[in-house]
Amino acid sequence: MALAVSAVGFHRYIWFISIGYGFSIAAIGTALLIMFGGARRLELRQNKEYADDPQYRHYSKHTPILIPFIPLHSLSNAKWLIG
């Protein structure tokens, strides 16, 4: 009997944890979409403003966007990031 009661309690605990993680993953995903969408909008605006500047072109080709050490240098072609 005690084993059955503890199993029900454990099942509720696991269910609560999985729902909490689901909300956390959704929040992190939403924040990432917002951050990358903003970075794309900023990049498009800067490309219009500084397109003729060779220093800007060099900087944009050699500096990663948002995440250091990950070679993602441009989001201007990411059409799925609408914004």
Side-chain angles (χ1 to χ4, degrees):
M1 182 68 175
L3 184 61
V5 170
S6 65
V8 168
F10 182 73
H11 176 67
R12 286 186 180 175
Y13 174 75
I14 294 298
W15 178 255
F16 178 73
I17 293 297
S18 66
I19 289 174
Y21 283 134
F23 287 131
S24 297
I25 291 170
I28 290 170
T30 302
L32 284 174
L33 281 175
I34 290 170
M35 293 298 291
F36 278 100
R40 180 177 185 265
R41 285 191 306 273
L42 178 63
E43 181 184 3
L44 291 173
R45 191 171 52 215
Q46 287 179 335
N47 284 343
K48 288 179 186 176
E49 182 80 21
Y50 304 111
D52 298 332
D53 188 2
Q55 289 178 338
Y56 173 74
R57 285 196 313 259
H58 180 269
Y59 170 81
S60 65
K61 288 182 182 177
H62 293 92
T63 306
I65 293 177
L66 287 180
I67 306 170
F69 309 114
I70 295 181
L72 178 63
H73 299 289
S74 178
L75 292 173
S76 61
N77 294 330
K79 301 295 182 193
W80 56 274
L81 282 173
I82 297 176

